[in-house]
Amino acid sequence: MRVYHFIPLEYAIDNLRNHRMKVSRYRDLNDPFEMLALDLSRPDVRDAANATKSEFDRRFGLICFSKNCSDPVLWSHYADKHRGAAMGFDVEDENALEIQYSRARVEPKFIDDHDGRRIDPSVGACLTSTKFINWKYEQEVRVVMDLADTYQSGGLDFFYLRKVGRLREIVLGHRSELRPSDFDTLLAPEYLGVRVWQSRLAFGTYKVVERLDVPAYEVPE
């Protein structure tokens, strides 16, 4: 599955030089309802949902992608107002968690065991992939990893780039200060087959498309 990670240009360059991707934590995501899609009308459900979110935040990290690199809103929100880049990866389907969008809250379901009362695992899995329908424009896909498989640098969590998937594209925003040819020393020979291309705003639609008068740069396979 081809997916795109939108990012300011300086961080994209840092990723390439250091062969890594910054990992997000659940507590830092921009959706205030993250992991809280349950119907929280009851206090016991609120307590259980907050406990589940805290547990996921302690144990797991994630990197967020979109299936779409042509939406100008994504570029505005996540790629430094079109000055950044979109890094396109081929990710194995079994490692890609696709977000489902809904207007309705999820009905709570519990199980009782030796650890006490807790949210049923099937519902917990649903919480990791359910967001309010107004986020649908993102067409979000996530790669989730155990924090034990990450490493810290400067107080941030990182995951090795090669473990995310295979890097195939770097799309430069139409306001980017760099051009595809500037990536020759950054990419070769470590990123075989990666294609760097310049985007522009489409003339007849509200899309971001390739700027054909600026030659793309590609590292040979």
Side-chain angles (χ1 to χ4, degrees):
M1 176 187 300
R2 181 67 55 89
V3 293
Y4 297 89
H5 180 71
F6 292 86
I7 188 170
L9 191 59
E10 61 183 301
Y11 298 137
I13 293 171
D14 179 80
N15 287 345
L16 294 170
R17 285 177 172 161
N18 293 291
H19 309 282
R20 67 187 188 182
M21 298 278 287
K22 178 182 172 294
V23 174
S24 296
R25 302 287 290 275
Y26 281 93
R27 65 173 179 263
D28 296 326
L29 298 177
N30 58 5
D31 179 4
F33 285 95
E34 193 69 52
M35 294 285 299
L36 297 176
L38 285 175
D39 182 340
L40 300 178
S41 301
R42 290 163 34 196
D44 63 327
V45 178
R46 291 196 292 274
D47 291 343
N50 286 321
T52 298
K53 182 173 181 176
S54 295
E55 180 183 3
F56 269 75
D57 185 70
R58 287 192 302 269
R59 295 180 55 194
F60 301 107
L62 64 156
I63 300 174
C64 300
F65 301 87
S66 174
K67 292 188 286 186
N68 180 3
C69 76
S70 65
D71 188 331
V73 180
L74 290 170
W75 283 93
S76 294
H77 287 177
Y78 299 116
D80 193 21
K81 301 177 183 177
H82 296 254
R83 289 185 288 266
M87 302 179 71
F89 288 83
D90 283 345
V91 173
E92 296 293 335
D93 289 352
E94 59 265 27
N95 296 331
L97 177 66
E98 294 192 53
I99 297 300
Q100 307 300 312
Y101 301 94
S102 175
R103 294 187 185 279
R105 303 292 282 269
V106 178
E107 286 298 318
K109 183 179 179 182
F110 295 93
I111 60 172
D112 295 300
D113 57 19
H114 61 277
D115 293 324
R117 198 163 192 250
R118 59 191 179 90
I119 292 176
D120 186 284
S122 64
V123 176
C126 181
L127 296 181
T128 66
S129 60
T130 300
K131 295 181 70 169
F132 180 44
I133 198 168
N134 282 24
W135 294 96
K136 189 174 182 178
Y137 76 96
E138 292 185 337
Q139 298 184 49
E140 186 178 351
V141 174
R142 295 174 173 179
V143 173
V144 180
M145 70 289 298
D146 194 309
L147 286 174
D149 296 327
T150 67
Y151 71 93
Q152 284 202 333
S153 177
L156 301 174
D157 299 292
F158 291 93
F159 196 56
Y160 292 107
L161 190 146
R162 60 181 172 77
K163 292 186 176 181
V164 177
R166 183 172 182 186
L167 182 64
R168 302 298 312 208
E169 291 181 81
I170 298 173
V171 186
L172 300 177
H174 78 96
R175 292 175 174 167
S176 170
E177 295 179 354
L178 298 182
R179 291 293 179 261
S181 59
D182 295 321
F183 282 75
D184 57 350
T185 57
L186 277 172
L187 292 176
E190 300 172 276
Y191 296 98
L192 300 180
V194 176
R195 182 174 186 265
V196 188
W197 53 277
Q198 182 76 48
S199 70
R200 65 168 176 83
L201 302 182
F203 301 134
T205 62
Y206 292 105
K207 288 186 176 181
V208 172
V209 297
E210 183 170 358
R211 181 175 170 180
L212 297 178
D213 64 329
V214 176
Y217 172 77
E218 185 169 355
V219 184
E221 292 278 3

